[in-house]
């Protein structure tokens, strides 16, 4: 087995303790946060510079070994699972902020820098309190900016601030043969000449290369806010209120919805005083110029009351606003109390279809005997049905996976997508032919081939690879090795 020789060669070029290869060390790298699919990598590497990434990529290329880029491992689609004794290259030790340039409103960071690490560092600079790195997936304290770019992560504020790709100006990426690609603008220059390669790399889920550095945009931070919390006796009324706010021409910073089951789960766990009859809860945040916000807040409250809200509360006071956000922010913590395992799904539909989709999810859950509770980034139609299951019972796992498929296919059928922000990874690979026509899939393959002709970087994720049979539907869900 040439493995020992390979490990020794990798150890020779990386700093001490930067190569993991013992089974016990590899355990937590068998999956990302989509824990339904697991496979043990051959090794996990922690380079600290682009040069080291280049060196290890060249070694692995020579031996024709699969490479899986990994950031913080918070991905929810299995994008970090290593097939076929692949080697994971983790960017967590490439975590230096190399430049913050307030004049040009940009920063240069290594790929492993965390979202909040950058915003916190910006805030410490004179005048920096006015800026931040806007993408805010709920994982933002942990997830890496390289991972955000690779998945084109969204978050609570996507409606107003857009997804990660809108905040990435330039990318340095190591290609499958060890070449270093520098794409896009530097020093805040909004490069628009040539093909938009950063746009192509964002959302490519680690299939085109290993992102090592990023030029990112620093956005002005809002300083005045209002929060409105409404509860409703049915989800259709809540969806109507969401649609009416947007149709009235307002652009809330966030509009988050919890279904009735989630409201009850949160209430049982944290006793926030939410109405017992609530079948939906909507928390809306607006920000902008202080003097204009009260009028908008009252208009949103008025719109919410129209479709029979049970309660509408609102505030400008930071402490009260924090309590209005509490139900939404506590949702995932509460779920942990009621289910052994859960699988968070991620579909996107047009806002006008939200009520129909929530009804259908309810029906699918009942027909498969699966409990589903749903959280929605409502203003942008990004639905997170959360499937509660117990992985110790294989029949329940299979029912859950069947219910997941039915929900996602329904969303695609009504012109939505099977993912709004988490990506395809390996988990949704089988749904690609439902979402895209043949011509589009062929172009995806050609793009992949042009970056990685040997199919060595994260093959079998996002874009199907002929040689790899990925199925997370098999009992045990261990993927090919
Ligand atoms: C509690 C929780 C909440 C979440 N909330 C949100 C949310 O609100 N919005 C959202 O969009 N997502 C959310 N996610 C999913 C996840 O956090 C995001 O997709 C995040 O951007 C992944 O970053 P990461 O560093 O953890 O990437 P990883 O999980 O390490 O990797 C994700 C994918 O990106 C690729 N990748 C990572 N780094 C690189 C790199 N340097 N170069 C090339 N490819 C790379 C990997 O190969 C993989 O395919 C959440 C996850 C959790 C666990």
């Amino acid at each position: 087995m040439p493995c020992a020789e390979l490990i020794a060669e990798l150890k020779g070029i990386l700093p001490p303790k930067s190569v993991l290869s013992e089974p016990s060390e590899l355990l937590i790298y068998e999956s990302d946060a989509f824990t339904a699919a697991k496979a043990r990598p051959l090794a996990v590497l922690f380079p600290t510079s682009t040069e080291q990434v280049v060196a290890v990529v060249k070694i692995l290329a020579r031996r024709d070994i699969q490479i899986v880029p990994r950031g913080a491992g918070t991905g929810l689609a299995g994008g970090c699972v290593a097939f076929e004794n692949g080697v994971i290259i983790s960017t967590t030790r490439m975590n230096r902020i190399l430049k913050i340039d307030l004049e040009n409103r940009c920063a240069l960071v290594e790929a492993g820098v965390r979202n909040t690490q950058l915003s916190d560092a910006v805030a410490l600079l004179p005048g920096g309190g006015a800026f931040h790195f806007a993408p805010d997936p709920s994982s933002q304290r942990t997830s890496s900016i390289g991972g955000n770019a690779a998945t084109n992560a969204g978050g609570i504020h996507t409606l107003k601030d857009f997804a990660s790709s809108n905040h990435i100006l330039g990318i340095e990426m190591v290609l499958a043969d060890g070449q270093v690609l520098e794409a896009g603008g530097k020093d805040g220059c909004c490069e628009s000449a040539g093909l938009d390669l950063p746009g192509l790399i964002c959302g490519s889920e680690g299939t085109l290369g290993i992102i090592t550095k990023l030029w990112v945009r620093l956005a002005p931070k809002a300083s005045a806010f209002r929060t409105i919390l409404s509860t409703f006796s049915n989800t259709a009324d809540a969806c109507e209120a969401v649609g009416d706010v947007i149709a009235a021409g307002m652009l809330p910073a966030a509009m988050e919805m919890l279904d009735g089951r989630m409201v009850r789960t949160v209430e049982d766990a944290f006793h926030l005083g939410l109405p017992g009859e609530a079948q939906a809860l909507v928390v809306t945040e607006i920000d902008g110029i202080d003097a204009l916000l009260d009028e908008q807040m009252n208009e949103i409250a008025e719109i919410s009351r129209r479709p029979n809200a049970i309660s509408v509360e609102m505030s400008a006071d930071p402490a009260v606003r924090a309590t209005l956000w509490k139900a939404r922010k506590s949702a995932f913590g509460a779920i942990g109390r009621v289910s052994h395992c859960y699988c968070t799904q991620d579909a996107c539909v047009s806002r006008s279809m939200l009520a129909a989709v929530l009804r259908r999810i309810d029906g699918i859950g009942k027909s498969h005997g699966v409990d589903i509770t749903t959280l929605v980034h409502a203003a942008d139609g990004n639905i997170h049905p959360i499937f509660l299951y117990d992985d110790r019972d294989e029949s329940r796992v299979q029912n859950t996976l069947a219910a997941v498929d039915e929900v996602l296919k329904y969303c695609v059928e009504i012109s939505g997508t099977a993912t709004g922000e988490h990506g395809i990874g390996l988990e949704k690979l089988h749904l690609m032919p439902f979402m895209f026509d043949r011509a589009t899939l062929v172009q995806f393959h050609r793009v992949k081939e042009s970056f990685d002709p040997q199919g060595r970087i994260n093959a079998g994720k996002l874009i199907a690879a002929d040689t790899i049979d990925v199925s997370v539907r098999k009992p045990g869900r261990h993927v090919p090795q």
Side-chain angles (χ1 to χ4, degrees), residues 403-443:
V404 165
D405 263 11
E406 204 173 322
V407 167
L408 296 180
K409 283 180 179 166
Y410 172 70
C411 292
V412 174
E413 271 162 30
I414 58 166
S415 304
T417 70
T419 173
E421 54 183 19
H422 297 165
I424 298 293
L426 61 83
E427 189 224 348
K428 297 192 175 83
L429 195 62
H430 65 294
L431 296 174
M432 289 295 272
F434 286 94
M435 281 192 284
F436 299 103
D437 61 19
R438 204 182 133 64
T440 309
L441 292 172
V442 167
Q443 290 310 319

Side-chain angles (χ1 to χ4, degrees), residues 3 6-7 9-10 13-14 19 42-45 47 52-69 85-90 175-178 210 454 456-457:
C3 179
L6 168 68
I7 299 298
E9 191 176 358
L10 292 168
I13 57 159
L14 290 177
V19 179
L42 183 71
V44 182
L45 314 180
Q52 289 176 10
V53 175
V54 169
V56 297
V57 164
K58 285 185 174 166
I59 291 173
L60 297 171
R62 222 173 41 237
R63 293 171 184 261
D64 198 20
I65 288 176
Q66 280 284 326
I67 294 171
V68 177
N85 282 321
V87 168
I88 291 177
I89 298 184
S90 165
L175 300 173
D177 60 1
I210 301 126
Q454 266 76 42
R456 208 179 283 128
I457 311 262

